[in-house]
Amino acid sequence: MLNLLNSIFPIRFLAFTACVLATLIGLSAWASGGALVWALVPGSLVGIGLLDLMQTKRSILRNYPVIGHLRFMLEFIRPEIRQYFIESDNEATPFSRAQRSLVYQRAKGDSDKRPFGTQRDVHSYGHEWMTHSIAPTQIASHDFRITIGPNTAQPYSASVFNISAMSFGALSANAILSLNAGAKRGGFAHDTGEGSISVHHRKHDGDLIWEVGSGYFGCRNDDGTFNAEKFTANARHPQVKMIEVKLSQGAKPGHGGVLPGPKVTAEIAQARGVPVGVDCISPAAHSAFNTPVELLQFVARLRELSGGKPTGFKLCIGHPWEWFAIAKAMVLTGITPDFIVVDGTEGGTGAAPVEFIDHVGSPLQEGLVLVHNTWRGIGLRDRIKIGCAGKVINAFDIARLMALGADWCNSARGFMFALGCLQAQTCHSGHCPTGVATQDPMRQQSLVVGDKSERVYHFHQQTLHALKELVQAVGVQHPGEINAHHIVRRTGDHTVSSLEDALLRELPTGSLLKDDLSALPALYQHHWPHSQAARFTRVGGAF
């Protein structure tokens, strides 16, 4: 019957036809003394339908005038429909409902307890758990700290859980204000991101890690090169606790960036030291150095210019021989950073090309293990602290990464959730529904600084309280004492192994400085001999 009707009159035009008929009926009623509105509403839909039939860009609308818009409306809200009604609690795309709910509960100060047992399949491949002690410890405080740069003039006592790099410009002014106020109250650090230090970072006087990227924002000349005087003026401010040179970031390693001129407001221009309304460019590479040795010399220079504050760099691991070249430069020059932050490719609060998000750079655990083992191999692990970032949400994430070699962890999206982010994934559009990632002044008003800073503080505190309980259960005094043998992974239907055996096989101290590398994993045998401190490129030998 439907086929017969469709052959007489195409069913796809029924909605448009109904609007025409409704308009005619409305006009007839108006002519008899009724309200004109009964003709205007369907009449406007008729106008839309005529435009649909005449436009040439969308076939759907030409074939289905009026009703075809329903398809685009449903597509527009598809992420929200999936997120709220379809996906399971543990379906991580990129963060699961369970992960987000945990942050929301802790940020609000609600109970984070769950009844009726785990929702995870404990027999699935890759499931991990911590081994516990029959004699758990008792720890007085959950304020776990480490000292970064103990031999510098101004060492920093850092929390093991801090706010990762997110720039003003990517985040709204109210988001920056809330993060920094929460950091101030909780005594933890707030990484500025490469957008430099804005007035919003300074208002609440929370501890800052100043990230210096390839655009040298906040310390640049007009041509985009590094300016030592401007750097010194910012770096010596008491609020700045550490200096971090960004070599690459997890979201788009090896890729530069452009903030289009229309988005460069007066506030952003002031923070970055660029003209208002002009494209703001972050080059893919630094201009202040070209070799591993020059990188370390630049780090040492920044440490001196800052007045002796801990100075290091951040990177997502790419070519292993480039990382090995930096390690060899440390051995050759005796210059070492006070810390490095390993960024995993699973990280990323900013927008990036899909190919970079999905396929460029090393995931956090592989990058972290490589950095930790390299420093063991050259005998410098005790001198340099390692931070890390990449989907860190809960206390187990922190414990696991510290077991693999990290000294502290940073989180970006976790603290965005604490601000109210609902993973709408519109960060790059300026249409963030919660006012977190937008420069729209009207949208920002939804983010109330006083309330959100409390949530940032509570999320940090409750996460560290949970970490304290894990540390006590393991039977140690500090999360830095948790090792890879404390965490077990299911590797098959009937097999399990500790992360010490499955993932982190530590190199013997000083083993990379020996002539014979045959006992080391293939990665080190293949690439260590073909790296050198004088250049980043691989030298000699076949892959």
Side-chain angles (χ1 to χ4, degrees):
M1 179 62 74
L2 287 176
N3 288 333
L4 178 61
L5 289 173
N6 193 56
S7 65
I8 299 171
F9 182 81
I11 295 174
R12 65 180 185 271
F13 290 120
L14 282 178
F16 179 60
T17 303
C19 291
V20 173
L21 292 174
T23 303
L24 293 174
I25 293 171
L27 289 172
S28 176
W30 175 58
S32 302
L36 182 60
V37 67
W38 297 108
L40 291 178
V41 172
S44 63
L45 294 177
V46 171
I48 291 172
L50 290 173
L51 292 174
D52 291 341
L53 290 170
M54 290 186 292
Q55 60 84 36
T56 58
K57 292 185 177 181
R58 291 179 171 177
S59 300
I60 289 288
L61 297 182
R62 285 172 65 85
N63 277 329
Y64 299 88
V66 181
I67 199 171
H69 289 276
L70 184 61
R71 181 260 186 190
F72 297 102
M73 291 172 61
L74 292 173
E75 184 181 49
F76 183 75
I77 61 173
R78 177 184 178 275
E80 287 78 7
I81 292 175
R82 175 176 175 80
Q83 185 177 134
Y84 291 119
F85 302 112
I86 298 175
E87 71 178 19
S88 69
D89 284 348
N90 292 314
E91 194 173 348
T93 53
F95 287 89
S96 70
R97 180 69 186 174
Q99 288 174 308
R100 299 195 307 273
S101 294
L102 179 63
V103 177
Y104 299 151
Q105 289 163 350
R106 288 180 172 168
K108 295 175 183 178
D110 294 343
S111 173
D112 58 1
K113 305 301 185 288
R114 179 183 296 162
F116 220 66
T118 183
Q119 297 180 11
R120 294 179 175 271
D121 180 2
V122 298
H123 298 288
S124 64
Y125 175 80
H127 176 71
E128 294 177 346
W129 64 93
M130 294 180 70
T131 58
H132 64 279
S133 172
I134 294 175
T137 54
Q138 290 294 320
I139 304 172
S141 172
H142 58 265
D143 185 24
F144 299 115
R145 295 195 167 268
I146 59 167
T147 300
I148 304 174
N151 298 318
T152 62
Q154 301 185 59
Y156 179 54
S157 176
S159 170
V160 298
F161 187 43
N162 301 289
I163 301 171
S164 196
M166 295 181 284
S167 300
F168 169 57
L171 297 192
S172 68
N174 283 7
I176 295 295
L177 288 166
S178 301
L179 290 171
N180 197 255
K184 174 65 174 179
R185 184 178 174 193
F188 54 100
H190 178 191
D191 194 310
T192 65
E194 67 175 312
S196 192
I197 307 168
S198 69
V199 293
H200 309 299
H201 288 96
R202 295 199 187 279
K203 182 173 181 179
H204 295 291
D205 200 36
D207 291 354
L208 293 178
I209 300 171
W210 182 18
E211 183 177 276
V212 178
S214 55
Y216 306 112
F217 301 128
C219 56
R220 60 187 268 133
N221 296 308
D222 291 340
D223 62 357
T225 56
F226 177 72
N227 183 299
E229 291 183 3
K230 292 180 180 179
F231 172 82
T232 302
N234 266 330
R236 296 206 175 198
H237 192 284
Q239 190 181 356
V240 175
K241 304 301 181 183
M242 300 201 300
I243 309 298
E244 176 184 281
V245 179
K246 190 202 84 170
L247 303 182
S248 58
Q249 66 185 83
K252 46 183 177 181
H255 190 285
V258 178
L259 184 64
K263 293 187 177 182
V264 182
T265 64
E267 286 184 318
I268 292 173
Q270 179 186 22
R272 300 192 179 199
V274 297
V276 177
V278 178
D279 289 352
C280 182
I281 299 173
S282 298
H286 279 261
S287 60
F289 53 85
N290 294 298
T291 69
V293 169
E294 290 176 356
L295 162 62
L296 296 180
Q297 290 171 340
F298 185 62
V299 167
R301 184 185 180 197
L302 297 189
R303 183 162 47 214
E304 180 181 358
L305 291 173
S306 69
K309 294 181 179 179
T311 305
F313 55 86
K314 178 181 86 172
L315 83 168
C316 177
I317 294 294
H319 294 321
W321 57 86
E322 293 183 350
W323 166 245
F324 291 154
I326 295 173
K328 286 187 173 181
M330 294 180 196
V331 176
L332 176 68
T333 64
I335 302 172
T336 57
D338 299 298
F339 67 91
I340 111 167
V341 174
V342 182
D343 206 11
T345 191
E346 62 268 54
T349 54
V354 171
E355 292 83 358
F356 277 78
I357 288 176
D358 291 342
H359 302 293
V360 180
S362 298
L364 176 54
Q365 72 173 16
E366 283 73 21
L368 176 60
V369 168
L370 180 65
V371 169
H372 171 72
N373 263 336
T374 302
W375 278 344
R376 284 184 58 85
I378 62 176
L380 294 177
R381 182 61 188 90
D382 293 338
R383 286 177 53 181
I384 309 168
K385 292 292 190 290
I386 301 177
C388 67
K391 296 190 77 170
V392 180
I393 291 293
N394 61 37
F396 179 76
D397 296 334
I398 298 173
R400 182 182 185 278
L401 292 169
M402 293 184 76
L404 291 176
D407 293 296
W408 87 87
C409 297
N410 295 333
S411 177
R413 287 169 291 180
F415 282 99
M416 287 177 69
F417 290 143
L419 290 173
C421 168
L422 47 78
Q423 197 171 258
Q425 299 182 63
T426 57
C427 310
H428 60 299
S429 69
H431 299 148
C432 173
T434 57
V436 175
T438 180
Q439 297 303 307
D440 185 329
M442 296 298 293
R443 289 179 178 270
Q444 286 190 54
Q445 289 181 5
S446 65
L447 199 160
V448 180
V449 174
D451 174 66
K452 301 306 182 184
S453 63
E454 286 292 303
R455 294 191 181 196
V456 168
Y457 167 76
H458 285 300
F459 169 56
H460 180 267
Q461 291 295 300
Q462 294 302 315
T463 301
L464 286 188
H465 180 76
L467 180 62
K468 171 189 168 183
E469 293 183 326
L470 286 181
V471 171
Q472 291 177 154
V474 171
V476 295
Q477 297 291 329
H478 190 278
E481 298 175 51
I482 297 176
N483 295 313
H485 67 261
H486 287 123
I487 300 178
V488 181
R489 170 186 285 182
R490 186 172 297 282
T491 55
D493 289 341
H494 305 290
T495 57
V496 300
S497 62
S498 71
L499 290 191
E500 187 175 42
D501 296 324
L503 186 60
L504 179 61
R505 298 181 180 179
E506 290 190 323
L507 298 190
T509 299
S511 56
L512 285 173
L513 302 179
K514 298 179 180 179
D515 293 332
D516 184 8
L517 305 179
S518 60
L520 302 184
L523 174 69
Y524 301 93
Q525 294 184 46
H526 291 166
H527 297 304
W528 180 261
H530 302 295
S531 61
Q532 61 179 238
R535 53 200 269 192
F536 284 113
T537 53
R538 193 175 188 274
V539 294
F543 280 94

